[in-house]
Amino acid sequence: MAKKLNSGTFTVLLIVLLMASTEILKIEAMNIKARCLPQGCKNATFSEECGVEPFPGSNNDCCHCCVAKYGREAVCKGVVEGPDKHCHCYKERV
């Protein structure tokens, strides 16, 4: 049976495998993005603001904005707060 695989069948099989593998990568990427800073803060203090006002995203998006702008070491959480929806970045109080 393996000898009867023609190039069309092989191409379709290759496309299906490629689609399946990229979908798995997308799921892994979503899981990584979902866990911005899972440890959070033990003793948080306000640090900086991030992004546009009003901030259009979620707390998780805010957290990613803070990490991208200030670095993972300088941020322990990001939260969208206030009636104006500002993205506030927090750091550990020393």
Side-chain angles (χ1 to χ4, degrees):
M1 182 172 161
K3 291 181 181 180
K4 293 188 178 186
L5 285 176
N6 61 20
S7 63
T9 305
F10 182 75
T11 303
V12 169
L13 182 61
L14 187 63
I15 290 172
V16 169
L17 285 171
L18 182 64
M19 290 172 62
S21 66
T22 56
E23 189 63 33
I24 290 169
L25 292 174
K26 283 182 190 175
I27 291 169
E28 288 177 7
M30 288 186 329
N31 287 339
I32 290 169
K33 185 173 170 42
R35 290 183 251 129
C36 182
L37 294 168
Q39 301 301 322
C41 300
K42 293 181 179 123
N43 196 6
T45 185
F46 176 77
S47 176
E48 302 285 342
E49 287 190 358
C50 191
V52 298
E53 297 173 15
F55 190 77
S58 66
N59 285 341
N60 192 49
D61 297 329
C62 174
C63 180
H64 283 286
C65 178
C66 294
V67 169
K69 189 169 183 181
Y70 304 110
R72 187 169 286 280
E73 300 300 317
V75 175
C76 63
K77 76 175 179 177
V79 183
V80 179
E81 296 178 312
D84 296 334
K85 296 194 178 216
H86 293 173
C87 173
H88 293 161
C89 307
Y90 289 86
K91 62 183 178 182
E92 286 290 346
R93 188 174 306 165
V94 181

